[in-house]
């Protein structure tokens, strides 16, 4: 017996997406909302909705007591956390359990282990899942660095323990350079972070971010649903994802899948999860981390496998057995997801909140649009800039790219700036088209000037703006007094148009 | 009727004349075959330029006379002035006059830090304030050298796009 009522503890496109599966399952749904989200789409899609607090997420979507309180009030038997917010918070999962509300996701213990990079790495090493060589113990001195470097093979990466986001790192290409590099990295780390602890690990050239979707039930069954290529990233944020990866063949897929299943088994994982790997040019892959939740890019896996991951998560949480065996999972066609962000790519990806004045969603063959917006909706400044996800499916990659260009061309979001011009640019780029890209793709190839329009487009824009100004000027006159001049012309033309 | 349309620092004269059959458009004196029709309640403009079809979105920009045009998936800010405005030189000075320059927020957001101090000297690139929007923090720099003569915001303030943050008086 599945649940009678499930609460979705999230907002935006992911809340809408989960509500859809609940409705298909015949389960009553409850949403939560902050004061900034009373008019949000997810509230309108749910059967019930409960206020959890003021706009800032710390006082609403991240407030465990209020979210659990709302679930109790609604009588929900289970909570789906979506992604972000409380989705990977073991305290939240434990708080749900304490109230006898099923948490649709893994248990708190698996979440805790995978949430701790050192513990996760140790567990993976024990179970034979490959991790990036090195990184085990801090470097003692230059001699230690030379020895470790020689053992792993150059190039290596020196990494400050307290660093992050690309800071406090140095690539060393040969043994002779390691001593001075260590000195500099250490002194920089001491100055910047007050901690001179340095690790050494293998440097992965042209790294690709490849992740494997897994599903695990309470009865010991663990499946993998193939890989997703997520190397188009900006500031460690994924922008475009595709499945299958252009560089993964069937043999490699099976190898990745086996290791991902092993990683999930290593922590007694339950529900849907993602094992992230970094892959070098030589196609050797290493465990990075496991995301213990549904991911933003899950629809591309749904597109190529035909499996509704949210539906599976709900069934697993209710104690049901996975309906399929690994051999019966068939990968069909190619899917690409484009994250539609409220960011202006022509101006350094500056965030752009405001009112959606007009919205034209793409549709047609092979198109899925998971969205949290509607025409007239005011995009709040408080939350993530993700507006929607365009998921494009076709029988092969070239057709998928062509279809994506068509669909992105149909997409119109008026009133705010968004990154669709960036997606159109990426789809034209040779490195993307050939599949020969890595996580440095955007940094190495994109500059905002590339979105500068061509001369003819500038002229079209000038003409359009002048015509609009010309006609608008007269529109005001019309509203104030008798029609004259160009307005007559517009009226006549519109009349003609009506006749045709 | 003559207009001047400026984009990216380049200005072109556009003459629009109405005829019995449609529009006659001259771009910098060169005749262009243009046909225009509004679609969907004036939200889109279908432009035929030399037979080529462009569905163009046009909307008012954040300053008078500015139009935001979306063509071929790209947004362009076009400033349009009438001939009269051009002759009278009534150029809409966005940032005030008299050597004063207003640092404005490029987007709506929440002011989380104000570095500008009243009376302090600033150089181009010096931080003025940090505005947060959609979980991203954006540092607003002084675009010109000078002295801070007004600070318009305090931490915790909500600002709109183009809200004034601080006023700098040039030192030159």
């Amino acid at each position: 017996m599945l649940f009678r009522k499930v609460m979705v503890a999230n907002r935006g496109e992911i809340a809408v997406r989960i509500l859809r599966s609940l409705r298909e399952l015949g389960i009553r749904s409850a949403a939560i909302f902050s004061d900034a989200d009373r008019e949000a789409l997810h509230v309108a899609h749910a059967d019930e909705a409960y206020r959890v607090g003021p706009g800032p997420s710390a006082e609403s979507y991240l407030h465990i007591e209020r979210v659990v309180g709302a679930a109790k009030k609604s009588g929900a038997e289970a909570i789906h956390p979506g992604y972000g917010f409380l989705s990977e918070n073991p305290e939240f999962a434990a708080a749900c359990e304490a109230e006898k509300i099923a948490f649709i996701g893994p248990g708190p213990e698996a979440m805790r282990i995978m949430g701790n990079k050192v513990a996760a790495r140790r567990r993976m090493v024990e179970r034979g899942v490959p991790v990036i060589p090195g990184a085990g113990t801090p470097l003692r001195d230059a001699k230690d660095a030379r020895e470790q470097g020689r053992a792993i093979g150059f190039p290596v990466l020196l990494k400050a323990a307290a660093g992050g986001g690309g800071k406090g790192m140095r690539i060393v290409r040969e043994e002779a350079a390691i001593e001075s590099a260590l000195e500099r990295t250490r002194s920089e780390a001491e100055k910047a972070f007050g901690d001179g602890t340095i690790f050494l690990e293998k440097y992965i050239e042209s790294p690709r971010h490849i992740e494997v979707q897994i599903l695990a039930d309470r009865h010991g069954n663990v499946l993998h649903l193939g890989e997703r290529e997520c190397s188009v990233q900006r500031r460690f944020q994924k922008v475009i994802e595709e499945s299958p990866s252009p560089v993964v063949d069937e043999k490699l897929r099976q190898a990745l899948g086996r290791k991902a299943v092993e990683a999930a088994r290593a922590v007694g994982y339950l529900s849907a999860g993602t094992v992230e790997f970094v892959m070098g040019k030589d196609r050797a892959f290493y465990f990075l981390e496991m995301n213990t939740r549904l991911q933003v890019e899950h629809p591309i896996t749904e597109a190529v496998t035909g499996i509704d991951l949210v539906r599976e998560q709900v069934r697993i949480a209710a104690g049901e057995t996975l309906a399929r065996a690994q051999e019966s999972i068939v990968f069909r066609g190619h899917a690409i997801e484009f994250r539609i962000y409220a960011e202006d790519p022509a101006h350094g990806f500056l965030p752009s909140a405001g009112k959606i004045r007009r919205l034209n969603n793409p549709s047609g063959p092979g198109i899925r649009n998971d969205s949290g917006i509607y025409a007239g909706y005011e995009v709040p400044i408080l939350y993530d800039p993700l507006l929607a996800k365009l998921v494009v499916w076709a029988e092969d990659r070239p057709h998928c790219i062509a279809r994506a260009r068509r669909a992105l061309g149909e997409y119109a979001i008026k009133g705010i700036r968004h990154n669709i011009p960036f997606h159109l640019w990426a789809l034209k780029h040779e490195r993307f088209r050939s599949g020969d890209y890595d996580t440095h793709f955007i940094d190495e190839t994109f500059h905002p000037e590339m979105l500068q329009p061509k001369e003819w487009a500038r002229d079209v824009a000038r003409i359009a703006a002048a015509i609009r100004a010309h006609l608008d000027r007269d529109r005001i006159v019309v509203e104030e007094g008798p029609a004259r001049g160009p307005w007559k012309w517009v009226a006549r033309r519109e009349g003609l148009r009506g006749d045709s | 009727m003559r207009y001047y349309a400026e984009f990216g620092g380049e200005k072109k004269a556009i003459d629009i004349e109405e005829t019995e059959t449609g529009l006659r458009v001259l771009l910098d004196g060169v005749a262009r075959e243009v046909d225009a029709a509004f679609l969907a309640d004036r939200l889109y403009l279908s432009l035929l330029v030399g037979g080529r079809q462009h569905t163009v979105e046009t909307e008012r920009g954040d300053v008078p006379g500015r139009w935001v045009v979306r063509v071929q998936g790209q947004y362009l800010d076009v400033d349009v002035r009438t001939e009269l405005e051009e002759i009278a030189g009534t150029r809409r000075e966005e940032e005030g006059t008299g050597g004063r320059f207003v640092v404005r927020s490029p987007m709506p957001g929440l002011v989380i830090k104000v570095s500008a101090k009243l009376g302090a000297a600033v150089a181009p690139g010096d931080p003025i304030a940090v505005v947060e929007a959609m979980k991203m923090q954006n540092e607003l720099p002084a675009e010109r050298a000078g002295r801070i003569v007004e600070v318009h915001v305090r931490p915790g303030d909500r600002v709109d796009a183009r809200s004034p943050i601080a006023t700098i008086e040039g030192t030159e």
Side-chain angles (χ1 to χ4, degrees):
Chain A
M1 172 67 190
L2 291 175
F3 309 106
R4 279 186 310 252
K5 192 188 287 180
V6 171
M7 168 164 279
V8 181
N10 217 299
R11 65 178 301 282
E13 66 84 20
I14 192 60
V16 173
R17 189 262 166 275
I18 295 163
L19 291 165
R20 285 182 169 140
S21 284
L22 292 176
R23 185 147 290 168
E24 288 177 16
L25 282 162
I27 295 172
R28 234 183 129 66
S29 64
I32 58 170
F33 63 91
S34 74
D35 289 341
D37 270 347
R38 176 61 187 84
E39 293 167 22
L41 194 58
H42 74 277
V43 177
H45 266 265
D47 292 321
E48 301 171 17
Y50 298 86
R51 179 189 176 272
V52 284
S57 30
E59 296 166 57
S60 48
Y61 298 106
L62 286 171
H63 200 288
I64 294 179
E65 252 172 65
R66 288 184 187 159
V67 174
V68 174
K72 279 169 67 182
K73 194 172 163 191
S74 75
E77 295 159 306
I79 287 184
H80 195 306
Y83 56 70
F85 293 132
L86 295 169
S87 62
E88 290 182 283
N89 185 321
E91 275 73 51
F92 179 60
C96 293
E97 275 182 14
E99 294 292 343
K100 307 252 179 296
I101 299 169
F103 179 80
I104 301 178
E109 192 49 31
M111 236 188 252
R112 268 193 199 100
I113 297 171
M114 286 305 190
N116 177 328
K117 285 206 169 185
V118 179
R121 184 186 159 90
R122 196 178 305 132
R123 191 65 68 93
M124 293 308 117
V125 172
E126 286 166 14
R127 298 293 284 253
V129 178
V131 297
I132 299 176
T137 48
L139 293 174
R140 290 190 305 274
D141 49 27
K143 182 168 167 278
D144 188 20
R146 262 198 306 278
E147 282 168 5
Q148 283 199 30
R150 208 178 298 149
I152 293 166
F154 287 86
V156 297
L157 189 67
L158 294 179
K159 235 173 156 175
K167 290 192 182 119
M169 293 203 283
R170 184 166 264 115
I171 302 161
V172 186
R173 299 208 169 263
E174 51 200 27
E175 195 182 328
I178 201 160
E179 203 160 323
S180 70
L182 178 63
E183 251 172 56
R184 274 180 293 150
T185 313
R186 185 163 274 167
S187 97
E188 279 168 16
E190 261 159 15
K191 264 186 223 145
F193 320 111
D195 177 0
T197 311
I198 306 293
F199 289 93
L200 178 151
E201 64 180 45
K202 184 177 169 67
Y203 175 68
I204 314 291
E205 303 258 20
S206 304
R208 299 181 78 115
H209 178 118
I210 296 194
E211 59 186 33
V212 179
Q213 177 70 53
I214 65 108
L215 275 178
D217 67 16
R218 284 181 200 281
H219 312 283
N221 303 303
V222 186
L223 297 175
H224 79 81
L225 303 185
E227 81 286 356
R228 294 187 288 256
E229 164 83 62
C230 308
S231 298
V232 182
Q233 300 183 358
R234 199 187 133 260
R235 288 202 206 160
F236 304 102
Q237 190 181 43
K238 295 165 191 169
V239 186
I240 301 173
E241 302 97 344
E242 59 181 317
S243 183
S245 162
V247 291
V248 172
D249 57 20
E250 190 50 35
K251 197 175 155 217
L252 187 52
R253 178 167 305 117
Q254 293 310 323
L256 281 161
R258 274 196 302 276
K259 292 302 179 187
V261 166
E262 195 54 39
R265 286 194 191 281
V267 292
Y269 199 81
L270 183 71
S271 192
T274 298
V275 184
E276 298 194 334
F277 296 101
V278 59
M279 183 184 285
K281 260 191 166 151
D282 56 1
R283 298 199 190 185
F285 60 87
Y286 310 99
F287 173 84
L288 274 183
E289 61 175 331
M290 181 167 186
N291 289 315
T292 54
R293 56 171 160 82
L294 189 71
Q295 278 192 289
V296 178
E297 59 272 27
H298 76 277
I300 52 174
T301 296
E302 297 186 322
V304 296
T305 60
I307 296 170
D308 179 336
L309 285 167
V310 173
R311 186 184 178 94
E312 292 305 314
Q313 282 187 302
V314 173
R315 291 183 57 251
I316 290 166
E320 293 198 359
T321 308
L322 286 169
R324 298 170 183 76
Q326 187 68 54
E327 308 78 66
S328 67
I329 292 165
V330 180
F331 301 102
R332 199 173 146 262
H334 196 92
I336 308 180
E337 174 181 284
F338 300 86
R339 297 191 186 195
I340 312 298
Y341 286 116
E343 293 177 342
D344 183 1
H347 294 96
F349 292 94
L350 210 60
S352 175
K355 198 184 188 99
I356 308 280
R357 300 244 296 273
R358 179 87 181 176
L359 182 66
N360 188 34
N361 286 314
S363 59
I367 301 303
R368 165 174 170 184
N369 187 47
D370 280 19
S371 169
I373 59 172
Y374 56 85
Y377 174 66
E378 181 103 24
V379 180
I381 60 165
L382 285 162
Y383 310 112
D384 194 88
L386 185 67
L387 301 173
K389 302 178 318 202
L390 178 67
V391 182
V392 181
W393 181 91
E395 66 279 12
D396 58 34
R397 192 170 186 269
H399 188 180
C400 196
I401 289 173
R403 182 170 275 175
R405 286 188 66 179
R406 184 271 291 170
L408 286 163
E410 289 176 10
Y411 219 140
I413 304 170
K414 204 174 158 174
I416 59 164
R417 302 293 171 99
H418 50 74
N419 66 341
I420 290 173
F422 168 83
H423 290 311
L424 288 165
W425 169 86
L427 283 175
K428 272 197 261 176
H429 200 280
E430 187 42 41
R431 275 182 67 189
F432 184 82
R433 295 181 76 84
S434 66
D436 177 27
Y437 63 88
D438 56 44
T439 57
H440 304 309
F441 173 63
I442 295 180
D443 288 342
E444 286 174 1
T445 56
F446 179 73
H447 305 289
E449 307 89 73
M450 289 172 170
L451 295 183
Q452 288 308 310
K454 298 203 168 61
E455 192 53 38
W456 65 262
R458 294 170 186 225
D459 284 346
V460 166
R462 286 190 184 100
I463 292 169
I467 289 176
R468 196 48 217 279
H470 183 75
L471 297 176
D472 262 45
R473 182 198 51 136
D474 292 297
R475 197 176 194 205
I476 293 161
V477 173
V478 166
E479 279 156 10
E480 284 169 358
R484 66 179 107 111
W487 182 250
K488 248 195 307 199
W489 171 76
V490 174
R492 187 161 56 238
R493 283 192 64 79
E494 281 175 0
L496 283 172
R497 216 156 263 281
D499 293 339
S500 60
Chain B
M1 185 98 190
R2 171 165 281 199
Y3 295 88
Y4 290 91
E6 184 175 344
F7 169 77
E10 200 190 344
K11 195 189 310 179
K12 289 193 180 179
I14 296 169
D15 296 288
I16 300 176
E17 260 179 65
E18 293 132 32
T19 67
E20 278 305 307
T21 50
L23 289 177
R24 201 173 110 84
V25 175
L26 300 169
L27 184 73
D28 269 348
V30 182
R32 294 291 178 102
E33 194 189 316
V34 174
D35 189 288
F38 280 118
L39 310 177
D41 260 353
R42 299 174 73 86
L43 280 156
Y44 300 94
L45 196 56
S46 169
L47 269 193
L48 297 175
V49 181
R52 189 162 173 186
Q53 198 282 139
H54 307 276
T55 303
V56 183
E57 298 173 25
T58 53
E59 60 182 312
R60 289 182 182 280
D62 46 16
V63 294
R66 176 169 294 168
W67 294 87
V68 182
V69 181
R70 185 175 184 249
V71 52
Q72 290 284 302
Q74 293 172 331
Y75 286 101
L76 283 65
D77 293 308
V78 184
D79 286 304
V80 180
R81 306 171 60 190
T82 61
E83 191 163 27
L84 204 65
E85 286 171 310
E86 180 78 9
I87 294 165
T90 52
R91 176 97 192 105
R92 291 163 291 269
E93 284 301 332
E94 285 169 41
E95 307 303 352
T97 48
R100 285 193 166 202
F101 180 80
V102 183
V103 178
R104 293 174 187 275
S105 177
M107 74 251 167
L110 187 70
V111 178
I112 59 168
K113 189 182 167 192
V114 178
S115 318
K117 296 223 162 42
L118 205 62
V122 287
D126 282 358
I128 294 293
V130 177
V131 174
E132 187 181 278
M134 302 179 142
K135 291 163 67 182
M136 295 254 298
Q137 295 188 357
N138 296 274
E139 193 175 79
L140 310 183
E143 287 168 48
R144 292 185 195 173
R147 195 166 296 282
I148 305 279
V149 292
E150 240 179 303
V151 178
H152 305 278
V153 292
R154 283 185 299 187
D157 284 357
R158 290 278 291 265
V159 290
D160 289 321
R162 300 201 52 76
S163 288
I165 303 294
T167 304
I168 302 170
E169 193 160 87
T171 40
E172 64 275 349

